[in-house]
Each structure stands twice: as C-alpha cells, then as structure tokens.
C-alpha cells in the first residue's frame, strides 16, 4: 500500500486535489486515506462563509514569525552565553576544589592557610550554588525555547492554512 506523509497530503490538497483524486493518484484505498486523516486529526472543512475566512493579513503573520525567530535567536544566544559561563564556573569549581584538597593535606596549622581554606570553601559553595541556579535558568530557557519553537510551528501551519484559504477563496 502506498505511503504518504501529512506534508505530502497537504501539498496535494493545496494543488486542488480531492481526497478521492489523492487516493487514486497514490493507488491507495480511500478508506486508508480517511484513517490517515483521522490519525493526523484532519477534520472535513465546510464551505467557508465570510465570517469564517480569516482577516489577518499575511504581513502580520510574517511579522509575528519574524518576531518569534528574533526571540528564539536571542534566547539561543543567551543560552549559549549561560552555558559558556557555566563551563567556566565548572572549571573554577574544579580549580578551587583542587586548591582546597591541596590545602587540606598541609599539616601545619598556619592561620593564613586556615583563612584561605575557609575562603576557598565559601567560594566553592557559592559557585556550586550558582551552578545549580544557572542550570535551573538554562532548563527554563530551554523549555521556553521549545515552547516558542512549537508555537512557531503551529503558526506556520496556521499560516499555510490561511494561505490555502486565501488562494482558494479569494482568488
């Protein structure tokens, strides 16, 4: 049996083919195509009335898409910056841990050494805490980035549908 993706189906429909013609062209059973449409959650489209045709212009959709792309780019840049900082802080933590370990092995109970050791421990604890905080921020930014990417995908799909309706009913 012939295989078809959602994108291929949408392209064929955009070209004005009916479901029956799509099934015939791909030599597939129309019932199988109907099952695929249910799987893809495609519902029959009723003849649109003037109220149903969207009034959003393509330029507004393009502006929104461009805005989302700029936002996603700035979030990616910020994420990369945070990641770089986190790597640097991780190196500092390892360096500080190495210093702490070095100082812990010294038998002499010099007051200066004890003060430096305490300071390094505090710095280590602060950096570890900051690292956890940075990880939390990065996770939230990744989530937000994924959310916006999904929104952008949905808007692109909506834009495709709007273009289809515009071509179909306004031409």
């Amino acid at each position: 049996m012939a295989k078809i993706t959602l994108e291929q189906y949408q392209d064929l429909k955009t070209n004005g083919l009916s479901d029956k013609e799509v099934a015939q062209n791909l030599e597939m059973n129309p019932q199988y195509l109907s099952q695929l449409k249910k799987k893809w959650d495609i519902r029959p489209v009723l003849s649109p009335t003037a109220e149903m045709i969207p009034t959003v212009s393509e330029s507004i959709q393009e502006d929104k898409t461009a805005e989302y792309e700029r936002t996603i780019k700035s979030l990616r840049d910020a994420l990369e910056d945070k990641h770089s900082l986190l790597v640097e802080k991780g190196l500092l933590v390892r360096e500080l841990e190495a210093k702490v370990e070095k100082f812990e092995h010294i038998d002499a109970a010099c007051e200066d050494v004890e003060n430096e050791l305490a300071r390094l421990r505090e710095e280590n604890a602060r950096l570890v805490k900051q690292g956890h905080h940075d990880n939390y921020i990065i996770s939230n930014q990744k989530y937000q980035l994924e959310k916006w990417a999904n929104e952008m995908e949905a808007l692109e799909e909506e834009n495709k549908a709007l273009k289809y309706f515009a071509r179909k009913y306004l031409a």
Side-chain angles (χ1 to χ4, degrees), residues 41-59:
D41 197 25
I42 297 176
R43 292 183 173 75
V45 178
L46 302 174
S47 298
T49 62
E51 299 86 37
M52 293 172 66
I53 297 174
T55 58
V56 178
S57 72
E58 284 184 14
S59 66

Side-chain angles (χ1 to χ4, degrees), residues 54-65:
T55 58
V56 178
S57 72
E58 284 184 14
S59 66
I60 292 174
Q61 288 294 331
E62 291 170 359
D63 290 346
K64 284 183 180 181
T65 300

